[in-house]
Amino acid sequence: MTRPYTPTQLYIDGRWVDATGGALFPVHDPATEEVLAQVSDAAADDGTRALDAAVRAQGDWGRTTVRERADILRRAYEMTLARIDEFATLMTLEMGKPFAESRAEVVYGAEFLRWFSELAPQVAGRYLPAPVGSNRILTVKRPVGPALLITPWNFPLAMATRKIGPAVAAGCTMVLKPAELTPLTALLFTQVMGEAGLPAGVLNVIPTTRPGEVTGPMIKDRRLRKLSFTGSTPVGKLLIAQSADTVLRVSMELGGNAPFLVFADADLDAAVAGAVVAKMRNGGESCVAANRFIVHRSVADEFAARLAAALGAIEMGPGLRDGVGLGALIDDRAVAKVTRLVDAAVADGATVLTGGTAPERPGFFYPPTVLGQVPAGSGILREEIFGPVAPIVTFDTDAEAIALANDTDFGLVAYVFTRDINRALSLGERIEAGMIGVNTGLVSNPAAPFGGIKQSGLGREGSVEGIEEYLETVYMGIHLTDPDAE
Ligand code: NAD
């Protein structure tokens, strides 16, 4: 398969440029292990150059009208969708997910551009009398300033547009550091943003295989005003610590360990269908992937058998092949991690209902796997699996289900299947997660506030909350004299 054309250089100050020293790194197709492209490998100096460009552009960009910025986002939305197959092919080649899922991500990712183009003109301040005295309170919103955006490999387009959309709407300039495993989609999108009319210097893009070396000095630079990161919790913690030096504003979208609760009164058809989506979307390589299936003892065997049948019927193979429902995992480390977790769960006493063994290479594949009777203390319930494996544990009482669900440092999302509205709402108040899916396995939506509590993150993306992450609120206290009193 020849890959669609995509730029492979850094993008700094409106120009495609080589990395300092001319270094390149290979990007692989995880389904074949073949090299797809050689991409410029940014050095620390390139990070500084990109930040210089973003800082230079901030003044003029922050003063553009909201309508100008919204129009650029709207054009980028249309242009991205017009090239949906090109984007989806590239994404499948570099990331591994099935073509239909890549197309779905292009639609989802582009929607952040439309959403924030429509939200931008609605950003407003307030004017009100102070409750006591004659002062008036006036609030205005300002762009926070140059932002560093760091994104993961699992949603190569959507994780970028979820940050770029609100940053453009708010009037911030940006340096994007895409994941080194999947830089091609981000580079193609950068080209689209330029064609949509984004001025030079507003968006700069620096793929690199040395992320810490490149972003470390940028984070210490007092001209940087915002860091938005999506990725693993350990790297997020490191970046929060680095940000303390300049009291940098941070948004953190980190790891998850989602519980998927099935109660005795659940519609089992809906629960199994929801489980397939919550587990298998993106091959399980998603922060919102169901990681622990917590099922009432009375329905556990039937749920497990039906889930195993549904997952066992999914065809695994290269994502561009027709009929494939599960593509390759991202790399050999991902396969090794999933293998380690499954093998340890089996050693702990879990039973394999389907899958459970990685096929021969080439390609980083692992089959859809369902594990029954997983003991409560098993390691697979504590770690983010990030693969197509569904471990099932049982519970007897609601209190026990809630305790199991909350027994984690993460708090991104939980899924609840029950027909009892009272139970659903009270679970919604007691489960420690930023998002709760009720009788659905899919919560991601550009119009909804996406984000976690506990060690799953800080801040929200999408919705009306998403733009606030790129705005400062400034308040003016105005002394008003009463003309009649003169
Ligand atoms: P990762 O933390 O390894 O990498 C994420 C990004 O950080 C990449 O661009 C990487 O190059 C960069 N990075 C790595 N080390 C760095 C350092 N020292 N300094 C600066 N940047 C550094 O995560 P990943 O493997 O790419 O992505 C998977 C993780 O992302 C999972 O934990 C998943 O749950 C999480 N994730 C969270 C969300 C969310 O919205 N909460 C969405 C998608 C993925």
Side-chain angles (χ1 to χ4, degrees):
M1 175 77 205
T2 48
R3 70 170 170 84
Y5 166 78
T6 182
T8 54
Q9 291 171 290
L10 315 181
Y11 190 69
I12 298 177
D13 211 4
R15 285 181 306 134
W16 295 101
V17 293
D18 288 334
T20 303
L24 299 170
F25 69 95
V27 178
H28 294 93
D29 176 349
T32 61
E33 305 187 30
E34 285 164 11
V35 173
L36 287 169
Q38 297 284 345
V39 170
S40 289
D41 193 353
D45 282 353
D46 300 312
T48 307
R49 278 200 289 156
L51 181 58
D52 289 346
V55 169
R56 273 197 307 275
Q58 180 61 60
D60 285 350
W61 177 241
R63 285 186 290 274
T64 51
T65 64
V66 163
R67 182 56 66 204
E68 281 172 72
R69 302 198 296 269
D71 283 349
I72 291 170
L73 286 177
R74 179 69 197 206
R75 280 196 294 276
Y77 162 74
E78 313 272 357
M79 291 166 79
T80 302
L81 285 186
R83 296 170 76 166
I84 185 168
D85 285 342
E86 211 178 322
F87 268 108
T89 305
L90 201 54
M91 203 186 291
T92 290
L93 283 173
E94 69 173 345
M95 186 273 166
K97 73 179 84 177
F99 184 65
E101 286 205 53
S102 293
R103 285 186 107 248
E105 183 183 335
V106 178
V107 173
Y108 171 60
E111 185 57 28
F112 287 104
L113 308 172
R114 178 162 68 168
W115 173 263
F116 285 106
S117 78
E118 291 169 351
L119 193 66
Q122 297 177 47
V123 172
R126 298 195 299 275
Y127 180 76
L128 67 155
V132 178
S134 62
N135 273 13
R136 294 297 181 266
I137 295 167
L138 177 67
T139 72
V140 289
K141 302 277 184 176
R142 287 186 195 158
V144 58
L148 172 60
L149 316 176
I150 303 179
T151 52
W153 50 265
N154 61 344
F155 291 96
L157 180 69
M159 296 302 98
T161 56
R162 205 162 74 168
K163 300 184 190 304
I164 293 169
V168 167
C172 295
T173 59
M174 296 151 273
V175 178
L176 169 68
K177 197 218 73 63
E180 55 272 41
L181 291 165
T182 59
L184 301 178
T185 306
L187 291 169
L188 182 61
F189 178 67
T190 303
Q191 187 183 47
V192 167
M193 287 302 289
E195 289 168 7
L198 200 69
V202 174
L203 173 63
N204 305 277
V205 184
I206 49 165
T208 177
T209 56
R210 292 159 289 175
E213 266 175 55
V214 174
T215 62
M218 297 170 74
I219 293 169
K220 293 235 172 311
D221 191 318
R222 47 194 274 283
R223 298 174 303 164
L224 186 73
R225 294 297 165 78
K226 170 80 195 177
L227 168 61
S228 179
F229 172 75
T230 300
S232 62
T233 296
V235 174
K237 288 180 183 180
L238 188 78
L239 296 176
I240 293 170
Q242 290 177 4
S243 299
D245 249 15
T246 58
V247 194
L248 188 60
R249 258 186 83 180
V250 295
S251 301
M252 292 281 150
E253 296 285 350
L254 307 178
N257 182 355
F260 186 105
L261 282 70
V262 183
F263 289 84
D265 67 347
D267 172 344
L268 269 201
D269 289 338
V272 171
V276 171
V277 173
K279 182 72 257 180
M280 298 306 294
R281 177 165 169 260
N282 227 42
E285 294 177 309
S286 161
C287 53
V288 288
N291 210 60
R292 297 169 290 151
F293 289 83
I294 300 171
V295 186
H296 192 266
R297 193 177 302 281
S298 64
V299 291
D301 285 348
E302 189 183 347
F303 176 81
R306 287 170 66 173
L307 184 61
L311 263 52
I314 293 173
E315 189 180 329
M316 180 171 74
L320 290 178
R321 199 164 77 199
D322 279 350
V324 162
L326 174 64
L329 296 185
I330 189 67
D331 60 10
D332 54 345
R333 287 178 311 166
V335 177
K337 178 183 183 188
V338 173
T339 303
R340 169 176 64 77
L341 289 172
V342 170
D343 292 353
V346 171
D348 288 344
T351 49
V352 178
L353 301 177
T354 188
T357 313
E360 295 281 301
R361 285 166 73 169
F364 307 123
F365 292 96
Y366 197 92
T369 298
V370 177
L371 301 175
Q373 292 156 17
V374 178
S378 191
I380 198 165
L381 305 174
R382 283 194 302 275
E383 273 188 61
E384 198 178 23
I385 303 168
F386 242 58
V389 180
I392 300 175
V393 292
T394 53
F395 70 90
D396 291 301
T397 65
D398 284 24
E400 198 189 336
I402 293 167
L404 283 169
N406 289 342
D407 184 20
T408 168
D409 286 333
F410 297 99
L412 190 58
V413 64
Y415 303 93
V416 171
F417 280 75
T418 174
R419 286 186 169 110
D420 180 342
I421 182 76
N422 188 69
R423 174 181 274 147
L425 288 176
S426 61
L427 286 165
E429 294 182 10
R430 292 169 67 190
I431 290 186
E432 296 164 355
M435 301 177 283
I436 299 183
V438 178
N439 295 324
T440 175
L442 182 68
V443 293
S444 303
N445 188 316
F450 190 105
I453 61 174
K454 295 162 79 176
Q455 295 186 24
S456 286
L458 298 167
R460 294 292 180 269
E461 291 194 318
S463 188
V464 289
E465 284 85 352
I467 196 166
E468 291 295 332
E469 306 279 327
Y470 296 89
L471 292 168
E472 298 278 18
T473 301
V474 178
Y475 142 66
M476 288 184 233
I478 305 163
H479 179 67
L480 206 66
T481 49
D482 181 353
D484 293 340
E486 282 170 13

